[in-house]
Amino acid sequence: MPRDHVQPAERSATGAGAPPSSAETPFLELLARGASADAYEQPVLLARAEGRPAERIRALEQAKLLALRVRSELEGRRRREAELSALFETAHDLAGLRDLDAVLQAIVQRARSLLGTDVAYLSLNDPVRGDTYMRVTEGSVAARFQQLRLGMGEGLGGLVAQTARPYVTDDYFKDDRFQHTLAIDAGVRDEGLVAILGVPLMLGHHVIGVLFAADRRARVFEREQIALLGSFAALAAAAIDTANLLTETRSALADLERANEIIRDRSGVIERASDVHDRLAELVLRGGGVHDVAAAVSEVLDGTVEFAEAAAAPAKALEASRAEGHAVRHDHDWIAAVAAGGELLGALVLRGHPGLDPVDQRTLERAAMVTSLLLLARRSAAEAEQRVRGELLDDLLDARDRDPRLLRERASRLDADLDATHVVLAARLDAAAADADQEAAARRRLWSAASHLAATRHGLAAARDGGTVLLLPLDPGDTATALARRTARHLGTAVHEAVTVGASAPIDDLAAHPDTVAAAYEEGRRCLDTLRLLGRSGDGAAAEDFGFVGLLLAGDRDIAGFVRRTIGPVVAYDERRGTDLVRTLDAYFACGMSPARTKDDLHVHVNTVAQRLERVGRLLGDDWQSPARALEIQMALRLHRLAG
């Protein structure tokens, strides 16, 4: 600093008779004008050069240190003010979806906060180069890590992008499930990451990127955390695509602005288009549904817009709209296909509006695209819930040592009551598929339909053994047979193919006795096999409907179960009371159902035989001597005798 810049202040501060506090004056002037840190050495150096007393120099040194601390505090406060300002700007950008980078940054920040991790980052796929690259990071400190590009299948992120499945590792460098490369490992090592979770960002069946959460220490990510990040990734993908759509829209508006004559003629139309895009963006952010989108577009286009299922829309116009990628006219209406990839999800129909200018037509098309994103997001959330329901049923079927309290808590979160009476149903498609791909697609449709039915009935469903298993509550007054037949009709209608359903007998207290679920599932499968052997494909029945016929036809014959269902009450009565009802039944049938001959065989009075048979009737039902029941009872008696 030039000498004359500080000399007047120094002279004032070091004049004869000046108080000790005058040493602070030059530094206050430096603070006032925001001087650099180096400038604070000049007053001390000048005092030493002029031979000032040591006491004066010490006072200047102390004032310098105090001034530097004040300067550091002021700079820290300015930095905090700038950080708060940046946070408010990011929130504003996300609310308006004005900038894609701001949206992505907000997504990563939310993911990091959501899981409480050290680092969160997002990569997007590059279809031109065939790899995936780092787009946004939060909490990252390593430049090499922030510039990584991963080939499909390389590293954990490349594996997620290639397989479209979430992956998690507790210790990245000890995990050999994915391909390690020098470049990727070096970047991860620079960042110090240990535990990494990656979930795909999906649009339809296509992966557009990967959302990550990572810690610099070993950590186990729970299933719920993986599902939660997966659901957030589904919403993030919808937000990314919406932001891209809005970017394209603004680019189109910029082109229109360059055409002054068109802008003057169509200014009102353009304003309406901008309004609908902003409304659609707001709907996506606050979780609106397809009918909310239709209502918003109806108001902007001054007409009636409705969402129609694919089966309810005009087939020819709907197919033309999907093929051309534009809304098409149908009589006095306009049809805009709502599609994702090759799948038709429905249509937006503008009623009674035959004259539609190009901008309004484009608005309808954009609304159809936003509708498809909302449907895909809703489907992603539903699939996540279906997976959770399937995992709980798998645990009931396989892990029989689970804590009943935890099972009840998990079921309660899914609105299921394991203390209610349930029936286990085994369902399978009967039509033979042309190839493996078609068979897999048919099984997925069956699982999806069964999962939807289970969710609406407060039950559970899972894919198993080439078919689907359901655990549904049994209403009072209902029967397992009636439930099986309704389920077969419902699933067959949903997948447009014949579905056969076998049901177990009703079971209770599943949480305390989960082994009963596995046994009931085997019983339902045997019933299913019996139906198919009898040529009753597409029907539903319970094990109790077949008696010994089911026992003969089933592949894994449950002899003890048949005996228990048929004469179990009589056997139990004899065991409790020490009576001879079973032996009396044996003798009764051996004597041609003649009480007189039976009393001689048993060496008892005929009244005793009558009393015993009356007791049997009360235990087995009034129809126990009908030909069909009598045949089953004789079969069960013989099996019981052989087993005893």
Side-chain angles (χ1 to χ4, degrees), residues 203-426:
L203 282 180
H205 298 294
H206 300 288
V207 180
I208 64 171
V210 181
L211 181 61
F212 299 88
D215 264 336
R216 295 188 175 94
R217 63 188 185 282
R219 170 177 176 172
V220 176
F221 289 96
E222 302 294 338
R223 282 184 177 179
E224 291 79 5
Q225 294 175 315
I226 297 173
L228 185 60
L229 191 63
S231 299
F232 188 78
L235 298 178
I240 289 170
D241 197 66
T242 302
N244 288 333
L245 292 176
L246 292 175
T247 300
E248 293 175 8
T249 301
R250 293 186 183 91
S251 176
L253 292 176
D255 292 337
L256 290 174
E257 288 174 355
R258 288 190 291 267
N260 294 326
E261 183 179 353
I262 297 176
I263 289 179
R264 285 193 298 269
D265 294 340
R266 296 294 184 184
S267 60
V269 177
I270 293 173
E271 289 176 4
R272 292 204 314 274
S274 178
D275 177 56
V276 74
H277 290 311
D278 290 341
R279 292 190 186 189
L280 295 180
E282 182 184 357
L283 282 174
V284 172
L285 285 176
R286 63 183 175 85
V290 294
H291 298 292
D292 296 321
V293 173
V297 180
S298 297
E299 185 177 344
V300 172
L301 298 183
D302 193 21
T304 301
V305 178
E306 299 173 350
F307 173 77
E309 300 289 346
K316 187 175 181 180
L318 183 61
E319 187 59 39
S321 176
R322 179 175 68 167
E324 298 173 8
H326 298 291
V328 299
R329 183 174 171 180
H330 177 72
D331 296 333
H332 295 290
D333 303 334
W334 283 84
I335 308 296
V338 176
E343 182 182 3
L344 268 175
L345 305 176
L348 284 185
V349 182
L350 176 59
R351 304 285 186 189
H353 210 309
L356 196 65
D357 59 55
V359 176
D360 283 348
Q361 180 180 343
R362 186 67 170 163
T363 297
L364 182 63
E365 294 162 1
R366 290 295 188 192
M369 296 180 70
V370 172
T371 301
S372 68
L373 296 178
L374 291 174
L375 290 174
L376 289 175
R378 186 174 66 183
R379 177 184 294 180
S380 298
E383 288 176 353
E385 181 182 348
Q386 290 171 0
R387 285 192 296 271
V388 174
R389 289 181 180 274
E391 290 166 359
L392 175 56
L393 183 51
D394 284 335
D395 285 347
L396 287 170
L397 288 169
D398 299 329
R400 305 180 185 180
D401 57 348
R402 294 282 183 178
D403 185 347
R405 180 180 58 83
L406 294 179
L407 290 174
R408 287 191 178 94
E409 289 179 359
R410 290 170 60 189
S412 177
R413 287 195 292 269
L414 297 171
D415 199 19
D417 181 11
L418 295 186
D419 293 324
T421 301
H422 285 74
V423 172
V424 177
L425 303 106

Side-chain angles (χ1 to χ4, degrees), residues 62-138:
Q62 292 175 356
K64 179 193 72 172
L65 294 177
L66 179 60
L68 287 174
R69 285 200 299 271
V70 173
R71 180 181 180 276
S72 176
E73 179 66 21
L74 290 174
E75 287 186 347
R77 292 190 178 187
R78 282 195 293 270
R79 283 196 303 272
R80 285 192 289 274
E81 182 181 355
E83 290 170 357
L84 287 174
S85 177
L87 287 175
F88 281 118
E89 290 174 1
T90 300
H92 179 269
D93 290 341
L94 178 61
L97 286 178
R98 302 299 182 191
D99 176 47
L100 177 59
D101 289 331
V103 174
L104 297 182
Q105 189 67 49
I107 289 170
V108 172
Q109 289 173 350
R110 288 180 179 181
R112 182 188 180 196
S113 173
L114 199 63
L115 272 72
T117 56
D118 297 326
V119 182
Y121 49 101
L122 184 147
S123 67
L124 294 180
N125 290 1
D126 187 341
V128 177
R129 296 181 55 171
D131 62 3
T132 182
Y133 64 94
M134 202 75 70
R135 179 63 184 271
V136 180
T137 63
E138 176 68 19

Side-chain angles (χ1 to χ4, degrees), residues 17 37-38 85 89 95 125 141 146 157 164 258 288 324 348-349 360 413 453 465 531 573-574 576 617 641:
D38 296 338
S85 177
E89 290 174 1
N125 290 1
V141 296
Q146 296 167 12
R258 288 190 291 267
E324 298 173 8
L348 284 185
V349 182
D360 283 348
R413 287 195 292 269
L453 176 62
D465 300 324
L531 280 171
Y573 189 89
D574 277 353
R576 290 194 310 270
R641 186 166 61 253

